[in-house]
Amino acid sequence: MIAPIVFALLGTALSAVLDPTLTEWKLLKTNEERVLFPLKDYILEVKSFLPDVYDTNPPYGELFRTDKATTMMVLLHAGNWNNKVGRLVWNTIKYDRGFDVNIEECDARYQAYRSFPAGGKKEQIWAWNFNQDDVELTCDGEVQYTQHFDEGDVNPRKPGLPEKCRALGDAEVDRIIFRHMEGYYIRGIPRDGKKVTTPAPEVPTTKVQVITTKVPTKKPTTEADIITSTPSDEPDNVEYEEVYPTCDCWTPECGYCTNLECTVQQDLANSDRGITVTSTLKRKTLNTIVLYDDEGEQIGKFQMSLRGIWLSGCIQCRAPVALRQARDEEGRATWSFSLKDGVVRITVGEEVLYEQELVGECKEKYSRAVRFAFDDMSCENTFLYRRSEMEAGEKITPDCSGRCSH
């Protein structure tokens, strides 16, 4: 049986353009469907569903193949259906062994997600965002995978890497085959000629404002530049700050970021200084802060790298160039994240590098942030524990309850 094909013709030429109806959700009725889809003009969104029954540690066998009940596959073609230039495979669950997502032309092996997709919710909104130099996969606005086309793996068992990765980035993908995705939905989000924010479901997108404040010419601020005071007999006159490691909450002891003893209580909506972190900033490594409401429920994550800035469901944009310039010779910088009065700010020292005002549901959602924790950040990274406005859980200690002993 020939799979259904959605064609859109421009004049009499066979140039592939998006069927206008595909800007709305289209149901995939079979396990193989073909769609004309200019990937550089549109972000590909997929609505999938978490299975009612699944195994995060199945027997993979010799071929290490994941369970097709959780697997989605996309074959990318350029110019015609015989010219396959890429294969994307990803799953609706996070596997214990990390066999979660793979771009055949870039990855020698499967890569692990950064968290369980959509926090375990039934409905998931995925977005594949292909840019000139890199590709990004998000789920419900949270980054799960990134790949720079000039940084493909090298493996003698997979000839053609990393050249095929760069070739995928340069390819004019204009048609896609969807496999193992019956019952899921797809749609295209127009780029309007530039990289755009991919909205999460039922959450309004807010206007992005990047502050082009001149970066100071002095040596970048580092942890060593911060004066940390010690307890005294006059606590009202002294700001007591300690340098703590960014204790990872994604551990069994922390209930995989659900145990509030692994969080720090802070009224972020009214804090002038927010959270001050010293960390290594790279393109592919995310700095992740998990945010909670007063009932201990996760309301979203703030994530940042040299590639971009993300706030679950509300912000997805490129990182300011000044952030790269703020690093010291070892690639580290001290930066602060704040949510004061519904305005997201990233500062280095006294300089505001990024600012965005939240509105509507986004502002209401993050105004409830009164706790935070760190996810997948090493013991080498640190934050300033300010006792005047923070209260640490029992497992937030100078050695992360023994997990960061040296």
Side-chain angles (χ1 to χ4, degrees), residues 21-82:
T21 63
L22 281 177
T23 55
E24 303 296 331
W25 289 116
K26 167 186 166 57
L27 174 66
L28 298 176
K29 299 180 180 179
T30 71
N31 269 326
E32 180 167 330
E33 296 204 24
R34 301 186 178 199
V35 176
L36 296 184
F37 195 105
L39 199 57
K40 289 190 175 179
D41 297 328
Y42 293 83
I43 296 171
L44 171 63
E45 283 200 341
V46 175
K47 182 193 296 185
S48 63
F49 304 96
L50 182 69
D52 293 329
V53 179
Y54 56 87
D55 185 356
T56 61
N57 189 25
Y60 290 92
E62 295 180 356
L63 296 180
F64 293 94
R65 294 189 181 276
T66 53
D67 183 2
K68 288 295 184 291
T70 67
T71 301
M72 297 170 278
M73 182 183 295
V74 164
L75 304 181
L76 307 177
H77 294 253
N80 60 72
W81 295 107
N82 296 319

Side-chain angles (χ1 to χ4, degrees), residues 6-206:
V6 180
F7 285 108
L9 302 182
L10 181 61
T12 58
L14 293 177
S15 300
V17 295
L18 190 77
D19 182 335
T21 63
L22 281 177
T23 55
E24 303 296 331
W25 289 116
K26 167 186 166 57
L27 174 66
L28 298 176
K29 299 180 180 179
T30 71
N31 269 326
E32 180 167 330
E33 296 204 24
R34 301 186 178 199
V35 176
L36 296 184
F37 195 105
L39 199 57
K40 289 190 175 179
D41 297 328
Y42 293 83
I43 296 171
L44 171 63
E45 283 200 341
V46 175
K47 182 193 296 185
S48 63
F49 304 96
L50 182 69
D52 293 329
V53 179
Y54 56 87
D55 185 356
T56 61
N57 189 25
Y60 290 92
E62 295 180 356
L63 296 180
F64 293 94
R65 294 189 181 276
T66 53
D67 183 2
K68 288 295 184 291
T70 67
T71 301
M72 297 170 278
M73 182 183 295
V74 164
L75 304 181
L76 307 177
H77 294 253
N80 60 72
W81 295 107
N82 296 319
N83 183 27
K84 181 175 78 70
V85 297
R87 187 184 77 158
L88 319 177
V89 181
W90 74 109
N91 289 272
T92 57
I93 68 173
K94 178 177 174 60
Y95 283 99
D96 294 350
R97 303 190 199 179
F99 300 150
D100 300 330
V101 57
N102 176 272
I103 297 181
E104 186 177 52
E105 290 67 30
C106 297
D107 300 315
R109 58 188 60 84
Y110 275 81
Q111 305 297 308
Y113 290 149
R114 281 140 188 187
S115 64
F116 201 96
K121 292 190 301 183
K122 182 70 174 180
E123 182 178 291
Q124 306 167 338
I125 306 294
W126 299 89
W128 281 101
N129 193 353
F130 276 75
N131 302 294
Q132 180 60 41
D133 294 322
D134 54 45
V135 58
E136 170 185 279
L137 174 65
T138 64
C139 183
D140 282 20
E142 181 179 345
V143 179
Q144 294 289 1
Y145 168 87
T146 60
Q147 175 64 57
H148 196 284
F149 294 125
D150 290 328
E151 299 173 1
D153 291 343
V154 178
N155 191 308
R157 296 184 179 181
K158 295 193 71 172
L161 297 185
E163 293 80 10
K164 288 183 179 179
C165 191
R166 180 65 264 175
L168 173 59
D170 295 333
E172 295 294 333
V173 175
D174 61 357
R175 57 201 71 203
I176 297 175
I177 299 177
F178 296 90
R179 289 183 177 172
H180 315 298
M181 298 171 66
E182 180 181 357
Y184 294 168
Y185 295 80
I186 62 168
R187 70 179 175 185
I189 303 297
R191 294 178 181 276
D192 296 328
K194 59 183 179 180
K195 184 174 180 179
V196 298
T197 297
T198 305
E202 301 180 3
V203 179
T205 304
T206 55

Side-chain angles (χ1 to χ4, degrees), residues 275-328:
I275 306 167
T276 300
V277 177
T278 298
S279 65
T280 301
L281 298 177
K282 299 180 179 179
R283 286 182 58 83
K284 298 182 69 173
T285 301
L286 287 174
N287 289 263
T288 301
I289 300 175
V290 187
L291 302 171
Y292 304 80
D293 62 18
D294 57 2
E295 296 182 355
E297 297 293 328
Q298 288 190 27
I299 59 176
K301 294 182 179 180
F302 169 78
Q303 296 176 295
M304 185 178 73
S305 72
L306 292 181
R307 289 190 60 256
I309 295 170
W310 300 267
L311 185 67
S312 301
C314 296
I315 296 175
Q316 180 176 324
C317 63
R318 292 189 181 277
V321 175
L323 191 62
R324 180 185 298 273
Q325 300 170 342
R327 299 178 300 167
D328 62 18

Side-chain angles (χ1 to χ4, degrees), residues 186-223:
I186 62 168
R187 70 179 175 185
I189 303 297
R191 294 178 181 276
D192 296 328
K194 59 183 179 180
K195 184 174 180 179
V196 298
T197 297
T198 305
E202 301 180 3
V203 179
T205 304
T206 55
K207 182 179 179 181
V208 174
Q209 178 186 6
V210 177
I211 303 300
T212 57
T213 308
K214 183 178 180 181
V215 179
T217 56
K218 67 179 182 180
K219 179 182 177 182
T221 306
T222 64
E223 181 182 307

Side-chain angles (χ1 to χ4, degrees), residues 340-356:
K340 172 76 171 178
D341 296 329
V343 178
V344 176
R345 288 189 181 90
I346 299 172
T347 58
V348 173
E350 299 298 323
E351 303 294 332
V352 178
L353 301 190
Y354 173 88
E355 184 175 86
Q356 176 178 332

